[in-house]
Amino acid sequence: MNPLLTKTVAEIREAFGRGETTPLHLLDATLEHLAAIDPVINAMAYVDESGARAAAQAATDRLVSGRARGDLDGIPVTIKDSIHAIGMPWRHGVAANADLPMSTVDAPPAARLKEAGAVIIGKTTMPDMGMMAAGVSSLYGITRNPWDLSRNTGGSSAGAGASLASGIGFGSVGSDIAGSVRLPAGHCGLVALKPTQGRIPHTAPSTMRSAGPMARTVDDLIDLYGVISRPDPRDTWSLPYEDTTDIRGGLAPAGLRIGVMLDMGYGPSVSDDVQAVVRSAAMQLSAAGAVVTEMPPVFGADPYPALDRLFQVRARTEWEAIPENRRSDVLPAVADWATAAAENSAAQFSRDTDAVMRSQEMIRAQTAEFDFVISPVIPTVGFGAEEVGLDPAQPLGHCSFTAWFNQTAQPASALCFGFSAHMPVGIQVVGPRFADQAVLRLTKWLESARGFEMDWPTAVAADTIGALG
């Protein structure tokens, strides 16, 4: 693999400045690697080579004339299938959408990336409707984890996780409704951020779903964040511009109150190896002077059925919008799970909404006792590539540590902090609303404290796929 592709974005900018490479050369290296590795991992939903070449040529011309636009100018990135971009397909992971026309509008994340001069090389895979936390799709098939091709990438930003971990692109923008950027980051050893609602504009506006950046390092993540967090009036919840001047400074833990969340009070139990990784992060924070407290179980009764029914309604609504003769093309794991929503009344939907809001307030109040909370991203160290989750009956059921922060609108990052049997194990860092920069700064401190350098699986042998069928 071309060594350029293992560098950080800052190192690439320096190489541009020294004349050692150009955006066009970097794109060529990226596309060559993509052609070799993507048939194995199946991360790319669409490759826009002509559009990427035009963007890379424009960035090269700006570089030569001293008119570079900023930190991402000329940097290859990807966006998730769910993000509209002019001239690229929007299919939402669903085979029934395979013939939809190309998008004619740039959603806010795509618009901001283009304004910054980033080179969007294409779109990444996702499961049907984004309603599974796994890399399985009726349209795209199975997306595989480059750390181990028999393992899942998580989802729903599945292809984003696999592509970045394998060295395709330097950043990706996904979307997160129950953990969908944090979960692939946890499975694939990456860094990701689910922002405060409205901090990163997206369409259609949502009180639950956010666009979120994913990268291999916190500094690369910050580069993406600084671009896609710029306001956009098309998102009702879009927040005003924020100054990011001090965002790269690590946040010293001394004196911080840190909660350690290891038991949600429901859902899959946290495995011993995942607990060990979270506790190692807690020990590092404590050694640096933080006041670290293990939290009691968050919930006394299982709050998930109400949230699961809201997710079912969302999936069923999209399923019903598909032409009747194409509905059978939706992945059964999603379609069958959402079937129950057809029997729910409006009153039941209202009761479930109220119940979720009560649960949301419980978790907000408990986390408010701390400056930050750390937790697992996933209760276990992943699952098989063909599986749709830990429980097929609840394809989002294992998102217990991530989903509630979509409801509270709090910023939450994911960071690899250890390994188990050679697979990455991620931790989640949660802060109060609007403290996105503080979450990123503490995540950067933890990255520096974890005591190892990432050795990315960027050279998976293509012939290994044969053994997997």
Side-chain angles (χ1 to χ4, degrees):
M1 182 171 123
N2 191 313
L4 276 175
L5 304 185
T6 66
K7 295 184 180 297
T8 66
V9 174
E11 289 169 337
I12 291 295
R13 286 196 297 267
E14 291 172 2
F16 284 166
R18 291 191 298 265
E20 296 173 359
T21 189
T22 68
L24 268 174
H25 181 214
L26 184 61
L27 175 63
D28 285 339
T30 300
L31 291 175
E32 181 181 0
H33 182 58
L34 185 157
I37 206 77
D38 193 54
V40 181
I41 60 173
N42 189 32
M44 299 301 298
Y46 180 79
V47 178
D48 182 19
E49 182 171 350
S50 62
R53 288 201 178 281
Q57 181 64 67
T60 299
D61 293 344
R62 287 191 295 270
L63 180 67
V64 170
S65 61
R67 297 179 292 110
R69 290 181 178 176
D71 291 342
L72 291 184
D73 203 3
I75 302 296
V77 298
T78 61
I79 57 176
K80 189 178 179 180
D81 179 19
S82 60
I83 298 172
H84 280 284
I86 294 171
M88 296 190 201
W90 180 98
R91 297 164 178 155
H92 222 209
V94 182
N97 294 336
D99 300 325
L100 291 180
M102 297 292 191
S103 295
T104 57
V105 64
D106 286 329
R112 299 294 88 77
L113 288 170
K114 290 180 179 181
E115 291 163 3
V119 177
I120 302 176
I121 58 176
K123 288 191 160 192
T124 55
T125 60
M126 61 181 288
D128 294 48
M129 308 173 189
M131 298 310 295
M132 282 198 316
V136 182
S137 161
S138 63
L139 179 58
Y140 302 121
I142 298 169
T143 299
R144 297 184 179 276
N145 192 324
W147 291 92
D148 179 341
L149 297 179
S150 72
R151 308 298 288 171
N152 211 287
T153 58
S156 60
S157 303
S163 60
L164 284 171
S166 68
I168 299 174
F170 293 83
S172 190
V173 181
S175 58
D176 191 310
I177 196 170
S180 294
V181 297
R182 290 161 288 163
L183 294 160
H187 283 268
C188 298
L190 303 167
V191 188
L193 176 73
K194 195 290 294 181
T196 296
Q197 204 68 25
R199 177 51 66 201
I200 295 175
H202 195 19
T203 50
S206 171
T207 58
M208 186 186 301
R209 183 191 64 169
S210 294
M214 301 171 66
R216 288 189 287 271
T217 72
V218 177
D219 277 334
D220 287 359
L221 191 78
I222 287 170
D223 285 331
L224 275 170
Y225 175 84
V227 167
I228 64 175
S229 62
R230 295 168 187 168
D232 193 303
R234 293 175 291 171
D235 185 343
T236 308
W237 310 110
S238 181
L239 297 173
Y241 172 81
E242 65 170 354
D243 184 358
T244 57
T245 303
D246 299 324
I247 194 172
R248 294 188 189 277
L251 184 64
L256 293 177
R257 298 167 300 158
I258 306 290
V260 181
M261 181 186 290
L262 288 169
D263 188 348
M264 294 297 292
Y266 81 100
S269 298
V270 180
S271 65
D272 290 344
D273 39 7
V274 172
Q275 282 202 42
V277 170
V278 177
R279 291 187 191 281
S280 71
M283 289 174 60
Q284 292 285 357
L285 290 163
S286 179
V291 180
V292 178
T293 305
E294 187 162 327
M295 300 170 63
V298 177
F299 295 107
D302 187 352
Y304 186 69
L307 182 58
D308 192 54
R309 285 192 292 270
L310 294 188
F311 288 146
Q312 287 176 324
V313 168
R314 186 182 183 96
R316 180 71 182 193
T317 301
E318 186 167 341
W319 181 87
E320 290 183 358
I322 294 170
E324 190 169 353
N325 65 335
R326 299 298 304 271
R327 291 174 182 172
S328 61
D329 291 341
V330 176
L331 195 74
V334 173
D336 295 349
W337 160 70
T339 298
E343 306 301 321
N344 286 358
S345 66
Q348 180 64 55
F349 182 81
S350 182
R351 286 191 293 270
D352 287 338
T353 301
D354 289 345
V356 167
M357 291 181 70
R358 289 192 296 271
S359 297
Q360 162 195 316
E361 175 53 24
M362 288 176 62
I363 197 165
R364 186 211 61 79
Q366 291 194 44
T367 58
E369 298 177 12
F370 305 95
D371 298 308
F372 299 93
V373 168
I374 64 170
S375 79
V377 176
I378 312 159
T380 65
V381 187
F383 43 88
E386 299 84 358
E387 297 174 30
V388 300
L390 295 179
D391 179 0
Q394 294 184 330
L396 295 170
H398 63 279
C399 307
S400 49
F401 285 96
T402 54
W404 291 105
F405 298 112
N406 294 79
Q407 303 303 317
T408 63
Q410 292 171 255
S413 70
L415 170 73
C416 177
F417 206 82
F419 291 85
S420 175
H422 308 294
M423 292 300 293
V425 178
I427 62 169
Q428 180 175 230
V429 181
V430 182
R433 288 181 66 201
F434 312 117
D436 302 67
Q437 292 193 43
V439 166
L440 288 169
R441 291 173 64 206
L442 184 59
T443 305
K444 183 174 179 179
W445 185 91
L446 285 161
E447 181 184 49
S448 69
R450 65 188 175 185
F452 59 86
E453 296 291 331
M454 297 296 291
D455 185 15
W456 298 100
T458 51
V460 177
D463 57 4
T464 59
I465 197 70
L468 297 168

